[in-house]
Amino acid sequence: MALLTHFLACVFGTGSWVAVNGLWVELPLLVPVLPEHWYLPSYITVVIQLANVGPLAVTLLHRLRPGALSEVPVIYAVVATGVLACLLLAFLWGYTTHVAGAPHSTAFLILTFFLALVDCTSSVTFLPFLVRLQPRYVAPFFVGEGLSGLLPALVALAQGAGVTHCANVTREANGTQVLLETRYSPARFSPLVFFLLVAAMMLACLVSFFFLTRLPAARELSQQSLFRGDVNLSPFHGSPGDELGGEDKPGSAGKAPGEADADVAAYSPARLASIYALVAWVNALTNGILPSVQSYSCLPYGNVAYHLSATLSAMANPLACTIAMFLPGRSLALLGALSITGTGFGAYNMAMAVMSPCPLLQHSAWGAALVVACWVLFTGTLSYVKVMTGVILRGRSHGALVWYGATEQLGSLLGVLLMFPLVNVYNFFRSADYCSLQCPA
């Protein structure tokens, strides 16, 4: 039963961001077709941030009417919406209409909003639901959340999305010239098939949630929690004896040796505030700031370096979550040190993006290896921090996890708001076409 619950929690976690991640990895096939072309990513970024109305509404309702909203029906509604939106997107993604005299991808952008609404709302509903289960099932959930980025990337890799090659092109302007240009290779299957596969992943999340709500252990723990009235919606209050939500008292059935004692830890409001600040900072880096410049930091080293950094960093996320299952570290000093280390790796990636299209060691294999390694280590270290902060806050109360999700979304929003004008308005970063680069050796 424990193994089954681990598996279900993992599959449940994959539904958290699989839809939006699927949009990003499919962009190389969508951009040449849709009328917005390379402005499409900026449109998607704005639409995703508008979808934060979902977690905002859930958080306010929890705050203003504690105990009035149960996660179970909300999760059913949002995941079912995600399945339906993915199915519609598979058939309508290329449909355009004229707005203000110009063609726009109205169907694609509207369905993107609903997918983003599902994924953003998952931050304040999925994790709080896990308070019904034992703390050991939090890490498998984060493994699944990491797989929500890896699985679409692997499907896109099998599809051939974004695979490029350098081709000789003859130009007649100012005389005949033969130049190298980047060309996209044809995909092995269409976006229709890709979005149907993403819909299948969302459906698997819905099915796993259905079984999670019907596990005997889940029903028992839920009844105990409701009987004790564990609806504390403030992350900064609660006696040490109540931090486990009633179901995880020391010596309770199903606890691993030493697990209960590790979870029962009283944190002052100042230390809790530092944990939430850490959550906001880590998510600002991983979900807003650095993803905006990944192509700028990697493409100058070649398409192989770019694809390796994207794929291996996606693998580093679930790997770090798996490590957290077997080697948990709840020390705030350790998590702070890992955050500083991960920020250092991110700073190197940002520096290479600023120096694009001619970064350090561009013509050396060491330069490509270094930027790929920094992306992998950046993702891995900060993913571990996200898991362990979630485990710590799960040990306090249901409300602590609601605020964890809200803080996660707030950090991501601040990261996007910082980077959007730099990338799309002020053109602070310069893109690189590896096939036509002219940088000094």
Side-chain angles (χ1 to χ4, degrees):
M1 185 61 70
L3 183 60
L4 174 62
T5 309
H6 275 89
F7 174 75
L8 291 175
C10 181
V11 177
F12 175 53
T14 60
S16 56
W17 284 97
V18 70
V20 169
N21 288 330
L23 291 177
W24 286 116
V25 298
E26 191 68 359
L27 276 182
L29 294 183
L30 304 180
V31 164
V33 178
L34 296 179
E36 291 81 6
H37 299 299
W38 280 111
Y39 287 103
L40 188 62
S42 61
Y43 280 90
I44 293 176
T45 302
V46 173
V47 168
I48 291 174
Q49 298 315 311
L50 291 176
N52 277 305
V53 65
L56 177 62
V58 172
T59 304
L60 288 177
L61 189 57
H62 272 297
R63 183 63 180 175
L64 299 177
R65 299 187 61 187
L69 183 66
S70 173
E71 282 82 18
V72 174
V74 176
I75 292 174
Y76 273 123
V78 298
V79 178
T81 300
V83 175
L84 179 60
C86 286
L87 287 175
L88 292 175
L89 192 62
F91 297 97
L92 301 177
W93 68 269
Y95 183 78
T96 61
T97 58
H98 279 74
V99 179
H104 286 282
S105 310
T106 49
F108 176 83
L109 294 175
I110 291 173
L111 292 171
T112 295
F113 172 80
F114 283 102
L115 291 180
L117 186 66
V118 170
D119 291 0
C120 291
T121 308
S122 72
S123 297
V124 293
T125 53
F126 282 24
L127 261 178
F129 166 76
L130 293 184
V131 81
R132 301 166 181 259
L133 304 179
Q134 297 165 9
R136 67 180 69 184
Y137 301 119
V138 175
F141 170 83
F142 276 103
V143 173
E145 191 176 71
L147 290 174
S148 71
L150 176 61
L151 293 178
L154 293 178
V155 173
L157 191 63
Q159 183 187 23
V163 177
T164 60
H165 62 277
C166 297
N168 289 322
V169 178
T170 301
R171 299 291 187 190
E172 298 296 337
N174 299 323
T176 302
Q177 293 180 321
V178 179
L179 304 174
L180 282 176
E181 284 190 355
T182 301
R183 294 292 178 87
Y184 286 98
S185 301
R188 297 182 180 91
F189 52 87
S190 67
L192 167 67
V193 177
F194 178 86
F195 288 124
L196 288 177
L197 291 174
V198 175
M201 296 178 197
M202 290 297 299
L203 183 61
C205 169
L206 183 61
V207 172
S208 67
F209 178 68
F210 173 82
F211 285 109
L212 270 179
T213 58
R214 279 154 179 77
L215 286 176
R219 290 201 300 269
E220 178 183 352
L221 292 174
S222 176
Q223 291 169 0
Q224 292 176 4
S225 179
L226 292 175
F227 177 76
R228 286 176 51 85
D230 179 29
V231 290
N232 175 21
L233 265 290
S234 173
F236 298 105
H237 294 88
S239 63
D242 289 339
E243 288 183 359
L244 297 179
E247 70 272 23
D248 295 320
K249 289 287 186 181
S252 62
K255 270 220 176 274
E259 188 175 27
D261 294 336
D263 281 340
V264 181
Y267 292 101
S268 65
R271 299 190 76 184
L272 278 173
S274 67
I275 293 174
Y276 282 102
L278 190 63
V279 171
W281 173 249
V282 167
N283 282 279
L285 289 178
T286 57
N287 298 338
I289 297 177
L290 269 301
S292 303
V293 299
Q294 186 168 22
S295 60
Y296 296 100
S297 67
C298 297
L299 280 177
Y301 296 98
N303 291 304
V304 173
Y306 176 65
H307 284 289
L308 281 177
S309 68
T311 305
L312 294 181
S313 60
M315 293 180 180
N317 191 320
L319 178 60
C321 298
T322 305
I323 292 173
M325 291 175 58
F326 298 100
L327 297 174
R330 295 174 175 83
S331 167
L332 295 186
L334 172 63
L335 297 181
L338 288 176
S339 300
I340 294 173
T341 303
T343 301
F345 292 127
Y348 180 85
N349 297 330
M350 178 62 72
M352 296 306 101
V354 171
M355 298 174 67
S356 176
C358 301
L360 296 175
L361 301 174
Q362 182 180 22
H363 300 284
S364 169
W366 288 105
L370 186 58
V371 75
V372 171
C374 282
W375 272 104
V376 172
L377 294 172
F378 162 77
T379 304
T381 53
L382 296 189
S383 296
Y384 183 92
V385 173
K386 286 197 284 188
V387 174
M388 293 316 305
T389 51
V391 170
I392 290 172
L393 295 173
R394 185 256 173 252
R396 284 195 58 81
S397 67
H398 174 278
L401 286 181
V402 173
W403 284 103
Y404 174 92
T407 307
E408 186 178 45
Q409 289 303 113
L410 176 63
S412 303
L413 174 62
L414 292 177
V416 170
L417 291 178
L418 172 65
M419 296 305 298
F420 183 83
L422 294 178
V423 175
N424 296 281
V425 179
Y426 298 108
N427 297 317
F428 187 77
F429 300 92
R430 295 176 58 195
S431 59
D433 186 343
Y434 184 75
C435 296
S436 58
L437 280 176
Q438 296 181 356
C439 293

